[in-house]
CSV table of all heavy atoms in Angstrom, one decimal:
chain,number,residue,atom,x,y,z
F,17,GLN,N,10.6,-8.9,18.0
F,17,GLN,CA,11.0,-9.4,16.6
F,17,GLN,C,11.4,-10.9,16.8
F,17,GLN,O,11.2,-11.7,15.8
F,17,GLN,CB,12.1,-8.6,16.0
F,17,GLN,CG,11.6,-7.1,15.7
F,17,GLN,CD,10.4,-7.1,14.7
F,17,GLN,OE1,10.4,-7.8,13.7
F,17,GLN,NE2,9.5,-6.2,15.0
F,77,TRP,N,16.9,-1.5,13.6
F,77,TRP,CA,17.5,-0.2,13.7
F,77,TRP,C,19.0,-0.2,14.1
F,77,TRP,O,19.6,0.9,14.3
F,77,TRP,CB,16.7,0.6,14.8
F,77,TRP,CG,15.4,1.2,14.3
F,77,TRP,CD1,14.2,0.7,14.6
F,77,TRP,CD2,15.2,2.3,13.4
F,77,TRP,NE1,13.2,1.5,14.0
F,77,TRP,CE2,13.8,2.4,13.3
F,77,TRP,CE3,16.1,3.1,12.7
F,77,TRP,CZ2,13.3,3.5,12.5
F,77,TRP,CZ3,15.6,4.1,11.9
F,77,TRP,CH2,14.2,4.3,11.8
F,137,GLN,N,10.3,-6.9,5.4
F,137,GLN,CA,9.0,-7.2,6.1
F,137,GLN,C,7.9,-7.5,5.1
F,137,GLN,O,8.1,-7.8,4.0
F,137,GLN,CB,8.6,-6.0,7.0
F,137,GLN,CG,9.6,-5.9,8.2
F,137,GLN,CD,9.1,-5.0,9.2
F,137,GLN,OE1,8.5,-4.0,9.0
F,137,GLN,NE2,9.3,-5.4,10.5
F,153,PHE,N,17.5,-3.3,6.0
F,153,PHE,CA,16.2,-3.5,6.6
F,153,PHE,C,15.1,-2.8,5.8
F,153,PHE,O,15.3,-1.6,5.5
F,153,PHE,CB,16.1,-3.1,8.1
F,153,PHE,CG,14.8,-3.3,8.7
F,153,PHE,CD1,14.6,-4.5,9.4
F,153,PHE,CD2,13.8,-2.4,8.6
F,153,PHE,CE1,13.3,-4.8,10.0
F,153,PHE,CE2,12.5,-2.7,9.2
F,153,PHE,CZ,12.3,-3.8,10.0
F,155,ALA,N,11.2,-2.0,5.6
F,155,ALA,CA,10.0,-2.1,6.4
F,155,ALA,C,8.7,-2.4,5.5
F,155,ALA,O,8.8,-2.2,4.3
F,155,ALA,CB,9.8,-0.9,7.2
F,156,SER,N,7.7,-2.8,6.1
F,156,SER,CA,6.5,-3.2,5.4
F,156,SER,C,6.0,-2.2,4.3
F,156,SER,O,6.0,-1.0,4.6
F,156,SER,CB,5.3,-3.4,6.4
F,156,SER,OG,5.6,-4.5,7.1
F,171,PHE,N,18.3,1.5,6.1
F,171,PHE,CA,17.0,1.3,6.7
F,171,PHE,C,16.0,2.0,5.7
F,171,PHE,O,16.1,3.2,5.5
F,171,PHE,CB,16.9,1.9,8.1
F,171,PHE,CG,15.5,1.7,8.7
F,171,PHE,CD1,15.3,0.8,9.7
F,171,PHE,CD2,14.5,2.6,8.4
F,171,PHE,CE1,14.1,0.6,10.3
F,171,PHE,CE2,13.2,2.5,8.9
F,171,PHE,CZ,13.0,1.4,9.9
F,172,ILE,N,15.0,1.2,5.2
F,172,ILE,CA,14.0,1.8,4.4
F,172,ILE,C,12.7,1.7,5.1
F,172,ILE,O,12.3,0.6,5.5
F,172,ILE,CB,13.9,1.2,3.0
F,172,ILE,CG1,15.3,1.5,2.3
F,172,ILE,CG2,12.7,1.8,2.2
F,172,ILE,CD1,15.3,1.2,0.8
F,173,GLY,N,12.0,2.8,5.5
F,173,GLY,CA,10.8,2.8,6.3
F,173,GLY,C,9.5,2.4,5.5
F,173,GLY,O,9.5,2.3,4.3
F,174,ALA,N,8.5,2.1,6.3
F,174,ALA,CA,7.2,1.7,5.8
F,174,ALA,C,6.7,2.7,4.7
F,174,ALA,O,6.8,3.8,4.9
F,174,ALA,CB,6.3,1.5,6.9
F,175,ASN,N,6.2,2.0,3.6
F,175,ASN,CA,5.6,2.9,2.6
F,175,ASN,C,6.4,3.8,1.8
F,175,ASN,O,6.0,4.7,1.1
F,175,ASN,CB,4.3,3.7,3.2
F,175,ASN,CG,3.1,2.9,3.0
F,175,ASN,OD1,2.8,2.2,2.0
F,175,ASN,ND2,2.3,2.8,4.0
F,189,VAL,N,18.9,6.4,6.2
F,189,VAL,CA,17.6,6.1,6.8
F,189,VAL,C,16.6,6.8,5.8
F,189,VAL,O,16.6,8.0,5.7
F,189,VAL,CB,17.5,6.6,8.2
F,189,VAL,CG1,16.0,6.5,8.6
F,189,VAL,CG2,18.4,5.9,9.1
F,190,ILE,N,15.8,6.0,5.2
F,190,ILE,CA,14.8,6.5,4.3
F,190,ILE,C,13.5,6.4,5.1
F,190,ILE,O,13.0,5.3,5.3
F,190,ILE,CB,14.7,5.7,3.0
F,190,ILE,CG1,16.1,5.6,2.3
F,190,ILE,CG2,13.7,6.2,2.0
F,190,ILE,CD1,16.7,6.9,1.9
F,191,GLY,N,12.9,7.6,5.5
F,191,GLY,CA,11.8,7.5,6.4
F,191,GLY,C,10.5,7.0,5.8
F,191,GLY,O,10.4,7.0,4.6
F,192,ALA,N,9.7,6.6,6.6
F,192,ALA,CA,8.4,6.1,6.2
F,192,ALA,C,7.6,7.1,5.3
F,192,ALA,O,7.6,8.3,5.6
F,192,ALA,CB,7.5,5.8,7.5
F,193,GLY,N,7.1,6.6,4.2
F,193,GLY,CA,6.3,7.5,3.3
F,193,GLY,C,7.1,8.4,2.5
F,193,GLY,O,6.4,9.2,1.7
F,194,THR,N,8.4,8.4,2.5
F,194,THR,CA,9.1,9.3,1.6
F,194,THR,C,9.1,8.7,0.2
F,194,THR,O,9.0,7.6,0.0
F,194,THR,CB,10.6,9.5,2.0
F,194,THR,OG1,11.1,8.2,2.3
F,194,THR,CG2,10.7,10.2,3.3
F,205,VAL,N,19.5,11.1,6.0
F,205,VAL,CA,18.2,10.7,6.6
F,205,VAL,C,17.1,11.5,5.9
F,205,VAL,O,17.3,12.8,5.7
F,205,VAL,CB,18.2,11.1,8.1
F,205,VAL,CG1,16.8,10.7,8.7
F,205,VAL,CG2,19.3,10.4,8.9
F,206,TYR,N,16.1,10.8,5.4
F,206,TYR,CA,15.0,11.5,4.8
F,206,TYR,C,13.7,11.3,5.6
F,206,TYR,O,13.5,10.2,6.0
F,206,TYR,CB,14.8,10.9,3.3
F,206,TYR,CG,15.8,11.3,2.4
F,206,TYR,CD1,17.0,10.7,2.3
F,206,TYR,CD2,15.7,12.5,1.5
F,206,TYR,CE1,18.0,11.1,1.4
F,206,TYR,CE2,16.6,12.9,0.6
F,206,TYR,CZ,17.8,12.1,0.6
F,206,TYR,OH,18.8,12.5,-0.3
F,207,ARG,N,13.0,12.3,5.8
F,207,ARG,CA,11.7,12.2,6.5
F,207,ARG,C,10.6,12.8,5.6
F,207,ARG,O,10.8,13.9,5.1
F,207,ARG,CB,11.8,12.9,7.8
F,207,ARG,CG,10.7,12.4,8.8
F,207,ARG,CD,10.6,13.3,10.0
F,207,ARG,NE,10.1,14.6,9.6
F,207,ARG,CZ,10.0,15.6,10.4
F,207,ARG,NH1,10.4,15.5,11.7
F,207,ARG,NH2,9.6,16.8,10.0
F,208,ALA,N,9.5,12.1,5.7
F,208,ALA,CA,8.3,12.6,4.9
F,208,ALA,C,7.7,13.8,5.6
F,208,ALA,O,8.0,14.0,6.8
F,208,ALA,CB,7.3,11.5,4.7
C,1,COA,C1,12.8,9.4,9.3
C,1,COA,C2,12.4,9.2,10.8
C,1,COA,C3,13.4,8.1,11.3
C,1,COA,C4,12.6,10.5,11.5
C,1,COA,O1,12.3,10.3,12.8
C,1,COA,P1,11.6,11.3,13.7
C,1,COA,O2,11.5,10.8,15.0
C,1,COA,O3,10.3,11.6,13.0
C,1,COA,O4,12.5,12.5,13.5
C,1,COA,P2,12.5,13.9,14.3
C,1,COA,O5,12.0,14.9,13.3
C,1,COA,O6,11.7,13.8,15.5
C,1,COA,O7,14.0,14.1,14.5
C,1,COA,C5,14.8,13.1,15.1
C,1,COA,C6,15.9,13.8,15.9
C,1,COA,O8,16.7,14.5,14.9
C,1,COA,C7,16.8,15.8,15.4
C,1,COA,N1,16.8,16.7,14.2
C,1,COA,C8,15.9,16.9,13.3
C,1,COA,N2,16.3,17.8,12.4
C,1,COA,C9,17.6,18.2,12.8
C,1,COA,C10,18.6,19.1,12.4
C,1,COA,N3,18.3,19.8,11.3
C,1,COA,N4,19.7,19.2,13.0
C,1,COA,C11,19.9,18.4,14.1
C,1,COA,N5,19.1,17.6,14.6
C,1,COA,C12,17.9,17.5,14.0
C,1,COA,C13,15.5,16.1,16.1
C,1,COA,O9,15.7,17.2,17.1
C,1,COA,C14,15.4,14.8,16.9
C,1,COA,O10,16.2,14.8,18.0
C,1,COA,P3,15.5,14.8,19.5
C,1,COA,O11,14.5,13.6,19.5
C,1,COA,O12,16.7,14.7,20.4
C,1,COA,O13,14.7,16.1,19.5
C,1,COA,C15,10.9,8.7,11.0
C,1,COA,O14,10.0,9.7,10.5
C,1,COA,C16,10.6,7.5,10.2
C,1,COA,O15,10.2,7.5,9.1
C,1,COA,N6,10.8,6.3,10.9
C,1,COA,C17,10.5,5.0,10.3
C,1,COA,C18,9.2,4.4,10.7
C,1,COA,C19,9.1,3.0,10.0
C,1,COA,O16,8.9,2.8,8.9
C,1,COA,N7,9.3,2.1,10.9
C,1,COA,C20,9.2,0.7,10.5
C,1,COA,C21,9.6,-0.1,11.7
C,1,COA,S1,9.3,-1.8,11.4
Side-chain angles (χ1 to χ4, degrees):
Q17 295 301 316
W77 279 108
Q137 293 198 315
F153 181 91
S156 291
F171 178 101
I172 298 190
N175 267 318
V189 171
I190 306 298
T194 49
V205 179
Y206 288 84
R207 198 191 65 184

